[in-house]
Amino acid sequence: MLNLLSKSPFSGSKLQEVFAKLKDIYCINDVTEERKQYLTDTIQKYGYLPYPHYKVLDELTPSEIIFAYVEILKLEGTYENFKLKDIQNPSPLARKKVKNSNWFKREGHNIKLISLSALGDGVKSSNTGNFIEWVAQILTLPRGNSNYGVLGDTIYLLPFHPREFGCAYLPMSSDISPKLEDMKLSKFLGFDAKAQVKLFITLAQLAGHPVIYDILPQTGRFSKVVLSKPYVARWFDIKELTEDYKRELDKAIIALKGKYNANEVDEAKKLYLEILSGSRKTFKNGNEEILNAIDKLMEAPKKALSNQITNRFRQDDILKKVYEVIEKANGKKAAKEEDIQNQSEVVKALIKEGLWPSPGGAWCSSGVPVFDKMHSSKEYPLFKHFNHKDEDVTHFANLDCQTPYYFVYFENSKYNKKVCDFFFEYTRTIADEYNFDGFRVDHIDHIVDDFSEKGKFPISYRAPREVLSKMNSLLKRKNPYFACLAEYMLWDDFYRE
């Protein structure tokens, strides 16, 4: 494939060449004089097309979309004499020599949430949005007010990685989803999906719009990040843990035989073991009173054993198993995501051995999840979640299919430097590769609370405040204007933090 956009930011003569080809591909000269006049007059009056996105798709041809985009570039001062200016960094913040991130919270500044896959014309097709439909979105974005230092609307991009269960927040790799690839650009420019996304970001910035990205302090359960760098996650050895549970169950059974009929207790034990290993049966299929008594006696051991198996030293042993299974199933060692050649086979092999990354959980949970039992299908483990008051908050849980990064050793209140360093490098790489102007950091709504702040130790599996603070500082070292927006619910009046 042609590799005109191999690095970011795209700039100078390379960018000029690409844009000239883009005008030819979309036949900008086919726009009639009447339409040119209408589009030019409208854009000069408003600074953009004051249309909803669907109206642009309905009323403008691809040729007209590119023509209108050029008219916006003229207003922005990035296009003259029938070509793009020779610009080294397309970011409006770099071009305007902005020295800090105060632009982001300027009164009047707006943020536009965009999912590239959702920008298609749903009336005409069920396909995901393609490149020209992405550019159509740029036309509809207000361009701010330079007299008051208000930049054009910032584009906030949802994750564009391949998804598990169709969810943007369950990335299966750091690649670009192949569903986003526009075959027209692939054919005429030789650009793959990643190059097309990079080009869109560049075009948005040239039109005066900063672009920020939804960065995730977690990943999909068995993503290529997890498989190439297993140390970024805590791991559960479900087979080993189940054997531990069985030994504790024997102790519970002995205790209950002094209270209930011995034969009834033995029958309850058999059913409990079935349910533990995955069964469609429930406690109602047996003696509920005895089964509930067993379950109550097993609660403390389950918590203790789940904590033990996820402490640092047990994790080292489990990781050895994980690396061996991955290497065997993959056919070679995996140092980076690109080395994972057989992702589905690797995942099957890990599941077969009972090796599962520790999941997320509930927004208010703390510490590690507690393995409860296998699902009735026997296909995956189910967990319980507790808050710092030891209250069961499993009913809030909806994140067991995510893998949070292993930022903190809960058993000694210390940070996992290797994982923190990975996260800093990972976020820096993404920021550089796509030339982003900032991040919106997802899933950090419970990292600052009274318990954590007074104890000076994060109890949640989420990214700790200190980690996010250092990430922010490191990103600002290169680009002082780099902005970070936190998804945060402001629990317990901790506004300043």
Side-chain angles (χ1 to χ4, degrees):
M1 281 191 170
L2 184 66
N3 197 22
L4 294 173
L5 297 183
S6 60
K7 294 184 178 180
S8 181
F10 313 140
S11 59
S13 60
K14 182 187 295 184
L15 182 56
Q16 290 174 329
E17 180 184 351
V18 169
F19 194 68
K21 288 179 181 289
L22 206 61
K23 291 191 296 181
D24 289 340
I25 290 169
Y26 290 104
C27 305
I28 192 173
N29 292 328
D30 288 351
V31 182
T32 65
E33 291 302 319
E34 181 182 5
R35 290 293 287 167
K36 284 181 179 178
Q37 192 63 51
Y38 169 76
L39 291 169
T40 299
D41 290 347
T42 303
I43 288 170
Q44 286 184 350
K45 180 178 180 180
Y46 296 102
Y48 66 107
L49 279 184
Y51 291 1
H53 182 63
Y54 77 86
K55 185 176 179 180
V56 178
L57 300 183
D58 188 49
E59 295 189 6
L60 271 66
T61 66
S63 302
E64 291 170 346
I65 289 172
I66 296 299
F67 176 84
Y69 173 75
V70 169
E71 293 304 301
I72 288 175
L73 292 184
K74 291 177 182 177
L75 292 181
E76 181 64 18
T78 52
Y79 187 97
E80 64 181 11
N81 298 325
F82 305 101
K83 67 178 182 179
L84 286 176
K85 286 185 176 180
D86 188 345
I87 297 171
Q88 293 307 305
N89 188 340
S91 167
L93 301 162
R95 289 189 282 108
K96 298 176 188 300
K97 296 181 170 54
V98 175
K99 300 298 183 184
N100 55 57
S101 60
N102 289 337
W103 62 273
F104 197 69
K105 55 186 179 181
R106 178 83 64 177
E107 182 72 25
H109 173 245
N110 292 316
I111 302 171
K112 175 70 173 182
L113 171 65
I114 291 176
S115 170
L116 294 177
S117 62
L119 291 181
D121 189 335
V123 175
K124 298 176 183 177
S125 169
S126 60
N127 294 335
T128 57
N130 60 32
F131 182 81
I132 195 65
E133 292 165 336
W134 304 346
V135 178
Q137 178 74 83
I138 298 174
L139 307 184
T140 70
L141 299 178
R143 297 185 49 257
N145 190 326
S146 58
N147 293 330
Y148 293 95
V150 179
L151 291 166
D153 282 15
T154 287
I155 291 176
Y156 154 30
L157 286 179
L158 287 182
F160 39 56
H161 309 301
R163 304 171 176 183
E164 187 172 27
F165 306 123
C167 178
Y169 294 91
L170 296 176
M172 290 307 294
S173 76
S174 298
D175 299 328
I176 301 293
S177 172
K179 293 182 179 180
L180 295 177
E181 185 168 347
D182 187 321
M183 293 306 164
K184 188 168 187 174
L185 286 193
S186 299
K187 178 179 179 181
F188 291 104
L189 283 181
F191 288 0
D192 60 12
K194 177 175 281 192
Q196 292 174 23
V197 170
K198 289 182 179 182
L199 179 57
F200 165 73
I201 292 169
T202 297
L203 296 186
Q205 292 172 323
L206 287 171
H209 301 286
V211 181
I212 67 173
Y213 188 60
D214 211 347
I215 197 73
L216 309 178
Q218 71 273 334
T219 183
R221 172 166 268 178
F222 285 109
S223 74
K224 286 188 176 181
V225 172
V226 173
L227 300 183
S228 60
K229 294 178 171 55
Y231 66 85
V232 302
R234 290 181 177 86
W235 288 81
F236 276 88
D237 186 332
I238 297 299
K239 287 185 177 180
E240 180 181 331
L241 199 50
T242 300
E243 293 304 312
D244 290 339
Y245 284 8
K246 288 178 180 178
R247 284 188 285 273
E248 292 299 324
L249 178 59
D250 289 337
K251 297 177 186 178
I253 295 303
I254 292 172
L256 290 175
K257 282 186 176 179
K259 183 177 180 181
Y260 299 100
N261 179 278
N263 291 331
E264 290 181 357
V265 173
D266 286 334
E267 287 300 315
K269 175 186 176 182
K270 289 179 183 178
L271 180 56
Y272 192 88
L273 283 171
E274 280 188 55
I275 295 171
L276 178 64
S277 299
S279 172
R280 297 191 184 279
K281 294 180 181 178
T282 68
F283 286 4
K284 291 182 180 181
N285 294 106
N287 189 319
E288 275 193 82
E289 183 180 348
I290 297 177
L291 285 162
N292 281 320
I294 293 173
D295 204 41
K296 187 173 183 179
L297 288 173
M298 286 296 294
E299 183 176 288
K302 283 182 177 179
K303 289 179 182 177
L305 290 167
S306 290
N307 273 283
Q308 287 174 20
I309 205 166
T310 53
N311 73 35
R312 180 176 181 177
F313 300 106
R314 292 288 294 277
Q315 286 296 293
D316 288 344
D317 292 334
I318 295 174
L319 272 177
K320 292 177 183 177
K321 294 183 187 178
V322 171
Y323 276 108
E324 289 173 1
V325 172
I326 291 174
E327 184 176 347
K328 183 177 180 180
N330 191 54
K332 66 174 184 178
K333 288 184 178 180
K336 53 187 183 297
E337 289 187 63
E338 293 79 8
D339 295 334
I340 300 295
Q341 303 295 321
N342 306 298
Q343 187 173 12
S344 62
E345 294 303 313
V346 173
V347 173
K348 288 178 185 177
L350 288 167
I351 291 174
K352 184 178 179 181
E353 295 300 320
L355 299 169
W356 292 82
S358 177
W363 65 264
C364 55
S365 59
S366 65
V368 298
V370 175
F371 168 58
D372 187 39
K373 60 185 177 182
M374 292 299 291
H375 183 261
S376 59
S377 65
K378 299 182 184 292
E379 292 181 349
Y380 57 91
L382 297 175
F383 293 84
K384 285 189 174 181
H385 306 274
F386 300 84
N387 64 17
H388 69 277
K389 297 178 182 178
D390 202 33
E391 297 167 337
D392 190 333
V393 292
T394 307
H395 54 287
F396 287 124
N398 62 348
L399 302 168
D400 279 1
C401 47
Q402 283 184 341
T403 294
Y405 294 132
Y406 184 10
F407 287 116
V408 175
Y409 301 123
F410 289 139
E411 67 271 13
N412 61 13
S413 305
K414 293 184 178 179
Y415 289 93
N416 186 339
K417 185 178 184 302
K418 188 175 182 180
V419 175
C420 294
D421 288 344
F422 153 81
F423 185 66
F424 300 144
E425 179 62 20
Y426 180 75
T427 53
R428 184 196 64 77
T429 298
I430 290 178
D432 288 351
E433 185 171 16
Y434 295 94
N435 195 36
F436 286 124
D437 298 299
F439 284 151
R440 179 266 191 185
V441 188
D442 178 63
H443 199 57
I444 55 172
D445 53 335
H446 195 63
I447 64 167
V448 175
D449 55 30
D450 186 61
F451 187 94
S452 298
E453 291 302 307
K454 289 180 179 177
K456 298 182 179 179
F457 170 60
I459 58 171
S460 171
Y461 59 83
R462 286 156 166 72
R465 178 158 64 91
E466 286 81 355
V467 171
L468 296 178
S469 177
K470 185 172 181 180
M471 177 200 76
N472 189 32
S473 298
L474 291 172
L475 292 168
K476 280 179 166 59
R477 284 183 188 176
K478 180 176 182 181
N479 293 322
Y481 57 73
F482 199 91
C484 282
L485 170 67
E487 180 210 32
Y488 183 44
M489 297 181 184
L490 301 177
W491 296 104
D492 305 319
D493 297 327
F494 280 92
Y495 305 120
R496 182 175 61 80
E497 284 79 6

